[in-house]
């Protein structure tokens, strides 16, 4: 697959590295000459310029890309880059920081395919969002293990169940839980799941389908 990465800071650089290691093609866009030079020295194709400028993104190949990830600290730049990506048929992934108010999140969420919070998911989560996966993978712990954050949605068989009542694959473990837009904490066996909750789960990769059946609605 081919990707455009806007912003070669902490999130963008790590996301680019992960995608490159997995064999994908990508171009890095940044308006800072030092970051562009660093990306080039790391072996990436680069374009120096404003990530909100359509001409710059066209030079980076947005019209042929599978997805664009906008990971700068500037939400306006990120949103503009995603709107250019939308226009050219790309999957769009927008970085937003957790200190933005809920109404800001809702305003932007309607117009992009996915939103990532670097503070919560990290670069591997951004990578997974760009690939269009159903799961936000936080990290690959080992060849056969996956660390995942899932949102409990309307219609999930887990809604209304206590942690101790969940029928998860034998190898799966829920290690953190949080109510909607709250920080994740260690769950108690009696904690009851509600729509909008998030759970962090570690499971064997080959048991992902079973995990999905236990926690996501059948239409997800």
């Amino acid at each position: 697959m081919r990707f455009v990465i806007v912003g070669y800071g902490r999130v963008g650089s790590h996301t680019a590295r992960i995608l490159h290691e997995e064999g994908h093609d990508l171009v890095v866009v940044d308006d800072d000459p030092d970051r562009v030079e660093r990306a080039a020295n790391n072996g990436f194709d680069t374009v120096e310029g404003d990530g909100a400028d359509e001409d710059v993104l066209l030079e980076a190949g947005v019209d042929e890309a599978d997805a664009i990830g906008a990971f700068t600290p500037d939400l306006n730049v990120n949103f503009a880059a995603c709107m250019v990506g939308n226009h050219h048929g790309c999957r769009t992934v927008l970085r937003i920081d957790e200190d933005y108010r809920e109404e800001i999140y809702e305003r932007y969420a309607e117009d992009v395919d996915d939103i990532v919070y670097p503070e919560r998911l990290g670069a591997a989560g951004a990578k997974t969002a760009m690939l269009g996966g159903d799961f936000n993978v936080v990290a690959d712990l080992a060849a056969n293990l996956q660390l995942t954050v899932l949102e409990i949605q309307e219609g999930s068989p887990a809604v209304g169940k206590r942690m101790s009542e969940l029928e998860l694959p034998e190898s799966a473990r829920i290690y953190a839980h949080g109510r909607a837009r709250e920080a994740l904490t260690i769950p108690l066996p009696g904690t009851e799941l509600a729509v909008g909750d998030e759970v962090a789960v570690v499971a064997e990769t080959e048991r992902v389908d079973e995990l999905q059946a236990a926690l996501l609605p059948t239409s997800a």
Side-chain angles (χ1 to χ4, degrees), residues 121 124-125 128 136-142 145-148:
L121 296 179
T128 301
N136 291 318
V137 180
V138 180
D140 294 323
L141 298 181
L145 292 179
Q146 196 163 290
L147 182 59
T148 303

Side-chain angles (χ1 to χ4, degrees), residues 22-58:
E22 294 187 357
H24 300 291
D25 295 325
L26 61 98
V27 178
V28 171
V29 176
D30 204 298
D31 61 0
D32 185 293
D34 291 336
R35 288 197 291 265
V36 170
E37 182 179 3
R38 188 169 76 250
N41 289 339
N42 288 334
F44 298 116
D45 293 333
T46 62
V47 173
E48 183 178 336
D50 184 356
D53 188 324
E54 183 171 11
D55 289 337
V56 171
L57 295 176
L58 284 171

Side-chain angles (χ1 to χ4, degrees), residues 8 23 27 40 70 72 77 88-89 101 118 120 128 137 150 163 172 178 184:
Y8 198 70
V27 178
T72 80
V77 170
H88 291 282
R101 298 185 304 276
R120 184 183 303 176
T128 301
V137 180
L150 297 174
M163 291 288 177
L184 298 180

Side-chain angles (χ1 to χ4, degrees), residues 68-165:
I68 181 170
F71 303 133
T72 80
D74 189 325
L75 180 56
N76 292 322
V77 170
N78 293 346
F79 186 69
C82 285
M83 292 305 93
V84 174
N86 269 338
H87 178 71
H88 291 282
C90 285
R91 178 175 177 79
T92 54
V93 178
L94 175 77
R95 169 188 173 172
I96 188 170
D97 295 325
E98 286 193 312
D99 56 356
Y100 282 103
R101 298 185 304 276
E102 182 173 350
E103 61 267 26
I104 300 294
Y105 168 88
E106 292 176 348
R107 181 193 311 167
Y108 288 97
E110 295 179 356
D111 295 312
V112 299
D113 291 305
D114 216 332
I115 287 180
V116 294
Y117 300 90
E119 297 90 343
R120 184 183 303 176
L121 296 179
K127 179 267 296 187
T128 301
M130 291 190 69
L131 291 172
D134 292 329
F135 291 85
N136 291 318
V137 180
V138 180
D140 294 323
L141 298 181
N144 65 327
L145 292 179
Q146 196 163 290
L147 182 59
T148 303
V149 177
L150 297 174
E151 180 181 347
I152 303 300
Q153 303 171 24
E154 189 72 47
S156 165
V159 173
K161 288 187 177 180
R162 295 182 176 88
M163 291 288 177
S164 59
E165 297 172 335

